[in-house]
Amino acid sequence: MESALNSDVANQRTLPFNKLAGILIEPVTKAGRLVGVVLGIGLNVQAAPKLTTQTSEGMSYQAISLQDINEMLPLETRSASLPDLPMLYQQMSKALMAAMTRFEHLGIEQPTGHTYYLDSFLEQFAMMDALSGLHLRVTQDYNNEEKVVTGIACGVDTHGCLQLRQDSGKISTLFTGRIDVIY
């Protein structure tokens, strides 16, 4: 039964997915203690790299840019020019600072047992969750052993972990893994 299940999962086809931007957060430790984080944001504005089998790192997506999206729009709705890069940088920085302030509020309310800021965040996230309701395959690597979980995306939990409703009805909480949209 196990090998038949693995065969079915391997034969599922993935939907095309385009990645416009990315956020990378890396912890900075000193003597085993967290002392800060390095945060990076990337946004493909005028061009996007074309990923190959080697450069896609096993992901099933292609990169896309704002320019690519603009060119896909009907002529009457296309923008004559892309947003000004300094303006984009300023808007992204402002949004990032606001998000970090909200994050600080989450840490402040946690010991009190209040959840106003967390509830507000989760509600806003749910409205913008691009994966919500989609059938996903999540591939995880545990000690050089691949584990695959499939199901319907149903938001994130209070720790930011993806929640996946499996066919059995069980909700899996996933912290990391390669996500493919399947059909």
Side-chain angles (χ1 to χ4, degrees):
M1 179 72 171
E2 179 80 24
S3 62
L5 179 63
N6 287 340
S7 174
D8 288 345
V9 168
N11 290 328
Q12 291 171 330
R13 296 187 351 185
T14 59
L15 293 172
F17 180 79
N18 294 303
K19 184 176 179 181
L20 175 65
I23 299 173
L24 175 69
I25 302 172
E26 292 288 333
V28 177
T29 58
K30 186 174 184 179
R33 195 162 171 248
L34 181 67
V35 294
V37 294
V38 174
L39 187 99
I41 298 176
L43 174 66
N44 299 326
V45 178
Q46 296 178 342
K50 296 302 175 205
L51 302 177
T52 66
T53 303
Q54 289 91 8
T55 60
S56 70
E57 298 177 355
M59 302 297 177
S60 61
Y61 66 80
Q62 275 297 330
I64 194 167
S65 70
L66 290 176
Q67 180 66 43
D68 296 333
I69 294 169
N70 191 46
E71 290 173 3
M72 288 187 247
L73 297 172
L75 283 173
E76 62 274 7
T77 59
R78 283 187 194 172
S79 177
S81 63
L82 293 175
D84 180 53
L85 292 179
M87 181 191 304
L88 272 176
Y89 175 76
Q90 183 181 32
Q91 290 172 345
M92 287 173 41
S93 297
K94 187 175 180 180
L96 180 60
M97 293 304 292
M100 290 187 332
T101 300
R102 288 168 101 194
F103 183 76
E104 285 182 74
H105 285 105
L106 294 177
I108 292 169
E109 79 177 3
Q110 190 175 17
T112 68
H114 294 100
T115 60
Y116 172 79
Y117 290 107
L118 178 61
D119 294 343
S120 174
F121 168 80
L122 292 172
E123 186 178 305
Q124 288 178 8
F125 181 87
M127 290 188 299
M128 295 183 272
D129 185 358
L131 296 178
S132 182
L134 295 180
H135 193 201
L136 305 180
R137 176 178 60 223
V138 180
T139 307
Q140 299 176 305
D141 182 23
Y142 288 113
N143 299 327
N144 295 325
E145 191 173 315
E146 204 172 78
K147 177 183 175 192
V148 177
V149 182
T150 61
I152 305 297
C154 52
V156 296
D157 69 5
T158 58
H159 301 287
C161 295
L162 172 66
Q163 296 185 103
L164 206 60
R165 179 174 287 112
Q166 297 178 40
D167 292 340
S168 66
K170 176 187 174 197
I171 302 287
S172 290
T173 301
L174 308 168
F175 180 71
T176 186
R178 186 183 78 224
I179 298 174
D180 292 301
V181 179
I182 56 176
Y183 61 101

